[in-house]
Amino acid sequence: MSGTGVLKEAERPRMPVAVPKMVQDFVIYFYHHIRERNIREIYTMYSHTFPTLSERFFKGSAWPRAESIAYLVDNDHVYLVLYKELYFRHIYASGTPTLEQRRESWENYCELFSIILTSNLNMLLPNGWLWDMIDEYVYQFQSYLQYRGKLLGKTMEEIQALKNADQGMWDSKLVIQTLDQLVSHSRIREELSTPEGPDALYKTEGYSTTSSNVLRMLGYFSLIGLLRVHCVLGDHTAGIKALAPLNPHVRKGLFATKIAMAAITMAYYSGFALLMMHRYLDAADCFNFGVMYVNKVKSHHARGIGHGQLLKKNEQMYAALAMTSSLCAAVQKKLDEAAASSLREKYGDKIRSMQTGSFSTFEELFNYSCPKFVSPDPPEWSDAACNSNNAAMKAQLAVFMATVEERKHLPALKQVLKLYSSITISKLASIAEMDEAEVRKQLDLLRATSSVLTWVSGDTLSGEPQPCGDIDFTIEHREGQEFVVGQEAKGVSIKGDFLIKHIQKFNDIIRDLKDVPAIST
């Protein structure tokens, strides 16, 4: 299996290796700052010094193993587990990890979270690092399931080694259970459910001079981690439920907005989950927030290691927003002017194509914008061509395209109704090339899709029907015939919403000037 990776961990002899003096100094000073709870220095060394040394000394190779630097830090077990978290994350970022490296990283995360859950820690760590821990934990889980699910191209020896190693490693139930434990032990849900909880967390950022922030903030970020895990497994409703009491529509005092990728991850996965649940206006609200947030913070991340990921998620949200607006005409009215303008520029032609019933455009944008879905079950080991990743992806695509298929006649039907102030059902059937029974069925569908359940207040999954169609119609009986009387839906006055939105935007600008978010703070 070592031949599959750039870094051949399993083949490297376990003997003392020469550690550059600058790296030794980093290990020692990082250790002392963690012991002394010097959060500013820890943040600087984590977010700036570690990437700089990685680029200089370990580009395409691994950092020294923990055994090689243990003597520098008094063999401190907790520190060495933290060091290995960075060590394995660098391996994943530098190339394709071997199966052995995947297993070791899994075991290290199990040990790290066990220590946090069972010990009375007194350390302070930067919130950016704590977010990265959860983000990386979920990423490595997703990466392993993708690696396991694709047998095509692997030798029989590699498949057998993978089968032998697949004994609970990165098991989806254990991953969800661990994240759930971090949430429950931190009591973050109880804290956020109090009236003053969200604002207090936003102001203090979870730091305290008398206690540790580690479990508390890992619990907070695990809410977003659970959202992502459930979504990549295809259970979108469970993802939204697991996020609670965080609500993607309530952003005042939302601490996640202080950690760029936490805010973007929450917006993207919430939006996609709501899109799959046919909550189109809610999905658009999440995507709109996401792309506007990226627009606001991207200049501060131009040199950060997460800049590429930030831009990729931004493009995926625009693609998902294009699909959402094609399925629900009212979406365009809910977008910020800048988001609406960028959407027209990026996807104007594709939106028009989808609005006229182009299946291929919907499939193209879905494939681009969707998460990398995975199957929680192991592949069929006897089938060397098995690819359970494709099966998971196709299952989600089929669910989405079933909605598109159901609505395929609606664009043509609406075009006819816009041309006639009234028309008999028989004539409408003739023009649309359907029988009258099918026309009535399509009219019922058009009426059913002219409103969508939308969040107003309360938890994320609560909602009230909101108009979202671009045409109104009634069916009237005249002289023994049925007439469809149609008119374009009247636009709702949005002056009040417009003023409220811009007042809020002004308040956000003032707040951002006081506290510009960094990539990991």
Side-chain angles (χ1 to χ4, degrees):
M1 281 305 302
S2 59
T4 64
V6 175
L7 307 174
K8 300 183 178 181
E9 187 73 14
E11 295 178 359
R12 186 180 294 117
R14 303 297 175 86
M15 61 179 65
V17 295
V19 179
K21 181 63 167 58
M22 290 181 66
V23 175
Q24 292 184 39
D25 290 342
F26 168 82
V27 169
I28 294 170
Y29 288 123
F30 200 39
Y31 170 59
H32 286 304
H33 287 311
I34 289 177
R35 283 181 60 87
E36 295 165 5
R37 293 163 51 94
N38 191 339
I39 195 67
R40 290 186 180 276
E41 291 299 328
I42 299 170
Y43 166 71
T44 299
M45 297 191 74
Y46 169 77
S47 61
H48 299 292
T49 311
F50 182 77
T52 300
L53 293 177
S54 297
E55 180 69 19
R56 178 171 178 179
F57 293 106
F58 308 111
K59 190 173 184 178
S61 63
W63 273 66
R65 289 188 61 85
E67 298 88 335
S68 300
I69 56 92
Y71 72 96
L72 297 171
V73 295
D74 303 321
N75 291 291
D76 188 291
H77 179 64
V78 175
Y79 177 82
L80 292 174
V81 172
L82 289 171
Y83 174 84
K84 285 193 284 186
E85 198 273 332
L86 297 178
Y87 169 87
F88 286 114
R89 193 184 326 156
H90 172 71
I91 286 177
Y92 271 80
S94 300
T96 303
T98 65
L99 182 60
E100 176 68 10
Q101 289 165 345
R102 294 177 189 272
R103 181 189 62 78
E104 288 187 4
S105 184
W106 159 253
E107 291 174 348
N108 190 65
Y109 272 120
C110 289
E111 185 169 7
L112 173 61
F113 293 143
S114 176
I115 291 170
I116 292 168
L117 288 167
T118 60
S119 304
N120 186 21
L121 293 180
N122 192 37
M123 69 172 62
L124 288 177
L125 294 179
N127 287 323
W129 188 0
L130 297 174
W131 159 253
D132 289 342
M133 282 184 192
I134 297 299
D135 187 54
E136 184 72 12
Y137 180 64
V138 175
Y139 164 73
Q140 290 189 21
F141 155 73
Q142 190 176 5
S143 173
Y144 174 73
L145 263 59
Q146 288 176 317
Y147 172 74
R148 182 188 68 178
K150 185 178 180 181
L151 300 185
L152 185 64
K154 292 182 173 67
T155 65
M156 293 304 297
E157 292 76 13
E158 288 173 330
I159 293 174
Q160 186 60 47
L162 181 58
K163 182 179 179 180
N164 293 340
D166 192 48
Q167 304 295 327
M169 177 169 62
W170 292 113
D171 179 79
S172 59
K173 292 181 180 178
L174 291 177
V175 169
I176 292 172
Q177 182 183 63
T178 298
L179 295 173
D180 275 331
Q181 287 178 335
L182 289 169
V183 170
S184 61
H185 282 62
S186 69
R187 297 188 61 80
I188 193 66
R189 283 200 172 106
E190 291 80 356
E191 178 181 348
L192 295 175
S193 297
T194 63
E196 68 280 0
D199 284 339
L201 183 64
Y202 186 87
K203 291 175 182 176
T204 66
E205 300 187 1
Y207 296 122
S208 169
T209 57
T210 59
S211 62
S212 171
N213 70 322
V214 174
L215 178 57
R216 181 186 188 190
M217 299 314 298
L218 283 177
Y220 182 92
F221 294 129
S222 291
L223 295 172
I224 303 174
L226 283 166
L227 164 69
R228 178 177 172 183
V229 169
H230 284 298
C231 285
V232 300
L233 291 173
D235 193 343
H236 306 290
T237 301
I240 294 295
K241 288 181 177 178
L243 183 64
L246 293 184
N247 186 324
H249 308 302
V250 180
R251 294 155 200 141
K252 184 178 183 296
L254 179 64
F255 173 75
T257 57
K258 293 194 174 188
I259 308 291
M261 283 311 302
I264 293 166
T265 300
M266 180 175 169
Y268 168 74
Y269 284 99
S270 295
F272 204 90
L274 291 164
L275 170 61
M276 294 297 289
M277 295 163 63
H278 305 162
R279 303 276 297 247
Y280 300 120
L281 294 179
D282 287 345
D285 178 62
C286 293
F287 293 137
N288 179 71
F289 166 75
V291 298
M292 294 303 296
Y293 181 87
V294 171
N295 187 57
K296 181 172 62 176
V297 305
K298 64 182 178 182
S299 61
H300 305 298
H301 298 251
R303 297 183 181 180
I305 57 176
H307 186 61
Q309 184 184 6
L310 182 148
L311 296 181
K312 171 73 178 297
K313 278 286 172 278
N314 188 54
E315 291 305 314
Q316 286 182 297
M317 285 189 286
Y318 268 116
L321 197 50
M323 294 191 298
T324 309
S325 65
S326 299
L327 291 167
C328 178
V331 161
Q332 290 284 347
K333 299 176 183 178
K334 298 291 184 179
L335 303 181
D336 281 86
E337 294 92 329
S341 176
S342 294
L343 182 63
R344 286 192 297 270
E345 181 181 339
K346 293 173 181 289
Y347 289 106
D349 290 341
K350 291 187 182 296
I351 290 173
R352 285 187 288 273
S353 175
M354 287 184 287
Q355 287 175 337
T356 56
S358 172
F359 281 23
S360 60
T361 307
F362 272 111
E363 288 192 13
E364 174 193 344
L365 293 189
F366 185 92
N367 288 332
Y368 175 73
S369 66
C370 73
K372 292 182 178 179
F373 296 110
V374 292
S375 171
D377 301 317
E380 181 57 54
W381 299 110
S382 60
D383 181 4
C386 179
N387 190 332
S388 60
N389 303 321
N390 280 347
M393 167 68 182
K394 289 179 180 178
Q396 293 296 312
L397 176 61
V399 171
F400 178 77
M401 292 304 295
T403 299
V404 177
E405 169 71 25
E406 181 186 46
R407 303 180 180 205
K408 66 181 180 180
H409 296 301
L410 296 188
L413 200 64
K414 288 192 284 187
Q415 287 298 320
V416 176
L417 293 179
K418 288 177 181 180
L419 291 174
Y420 291 85
S421 58
S422 67
I423 184 174
T424 63
I425 285 185
S426 59
K427 184 173 182 180
L428 179 59
S430 176
I431 295 174
E433 298 181 345
M434 305 178 197
D435 58 44
E436 292 187 19
E438 181 62 25
V439 166
R440 288 189 175 87
K441 181 179 177 181
Q442 291 299 314
L443 289 172
D444 288 341
L445 178 61
L446 181 58
R447 182 179 286 111
T449 57
S450 64
S451 67
V452 62
L453 193 65
T454 305
W455 178 83
V456 176
S457 63
D459 65 75
T460 308
L461 293 179
S462 65
E464 299 176 7
Q466 298 291 326
C468 66
D470 54 355
I471 189 167
D472 292 330
F473 70 92
T474 59
I475 296 179
E476 300 179 3
H477 294 269
R478 304 176 189 168
E479 301 174 355
Q481 293 193 75
E482 289 181 296
F483 283 79
V484 182
V485 181
Q487 60 182 6
E488 291 194 34
K490 295 180 179 179
V492 178
S493 175
I494 58 171
K495 293 180 181 178
D497 291 342
F498 179 85
L499 290 173
I500 291 172
K501 182 184 295 184
H502 282 271
I503 290 170
Q504 182 61 50
K505 186 181 295 184
F506 179 69
N507 289 334
D508 289 344
I509 291 172
I510 293 175
R511 187 179 69 189
D512 293 340
L513 288 174
K514 295 179 181 177
D515 184 16
V516 175
I519 195 163
S520 296
T521 57

